[in-house]
Amino acid sequence: MDCIFCKIIKREIPSKDVYEDDFVKAFYDINPKAPVHVLIVPKKHINPAQGFTQDEVEIIGNLFLAAQKIAEKEGVFQSGFRLITNSGPDSGQEIEHLHFHLLGGKPLGGLVGN
Ligand code: 5GP
Ligand code: ZN
């Protein structure tokens, strides 16, 4: 499968890693939009634009747990952070592998950009 995030998970493409467990890998975004910009990715290839299945709920829950740990590690748990996940054309989703953007380190402003 020609998926950049699958290749990062298999270490075929380098990444600056922040966190890893059985379900999840997290690394810094190559084009950061905030002082802290981490991508949190399930190790299983799931495309949110194709919908989730019940057996993926455990994986999805673990993304949130990982996000909290990463926010603490990056020093933004107290100051606050935003999780964004894109799905489908109007969202601007570039990579067809589920991921959270964890953004923080400054006031992030309005919810939707232009
Ligand atoms: P999307 O638009 O799919 O929600 O976000 C994809 C994100 O992946 C973008 O913020 C982009 O900068 C990031 N990205 C794309 N290719 C790479 C890569 O090879 N390495 C890393 N670390 N981030 C990438
Ligand atoms: Zn993938």
Side-chain angles (χ1 to χ4, degrees):
M1 191 184 301
D2 196 26
C3 169
I4 289 172
F5 288 174
C6 283
K7 288 179 179 169
I8 286 175
I9 289 159
K10 287 187 277 180
R11 301 181 199 279
E12 292 170 9
I13 294 177
S15 56
K16 289 188 177 167
D17 296 345
V18 178
Y19 176 84
E20 186 164 5
D21 64 29
D22 288 347
F23 293 96
V24 176
K25 185 173 169 93
F27 45 90
Y28 292 111
D29 195 292
I30 206 168
N31 182 20
K33 298 290 197 296
V36 175
H37 188 171
V38 177
L39 298 172
I40 307 170
V41 178
K43 289 186 170 173
K44 179 182 177 187
H45 182 93
I46 301 170
N47 183 357
Q50 292 177 350
F52 301 125
T53 59
Q54 185 66 35
D55 66 341
E56 290 165 344
V57 166
E58 186 182 16
I59 294 172
I60 295 163
N62 274 282
L63 292 178
F64 279 96
L65 273 182
Q68 293 209 332
K69 292 176 188 166
I70 293 160
E72 285 172 353
K73 201 169 172 179
E74 292 293 313
V76 298
F77 190 79
Q78 299 297 332
S79 54
F81 60 95
R82 183 174 290 164
L83 292 176
I84 294 174
T85 189
N86 290 317
S87 178
D90 278 356
S91 74
Q93 179 189 7
E94 280 174 38
I95 297 189
E96 294 183 343
H97 183 135
L98 176 63
H99 51 284
F100 284 149
H101 299 254
L102 188 155
L103 297 153
K106 69 171 187 180
L108 293 170
L111 188 58
V112 180
N114 292 306

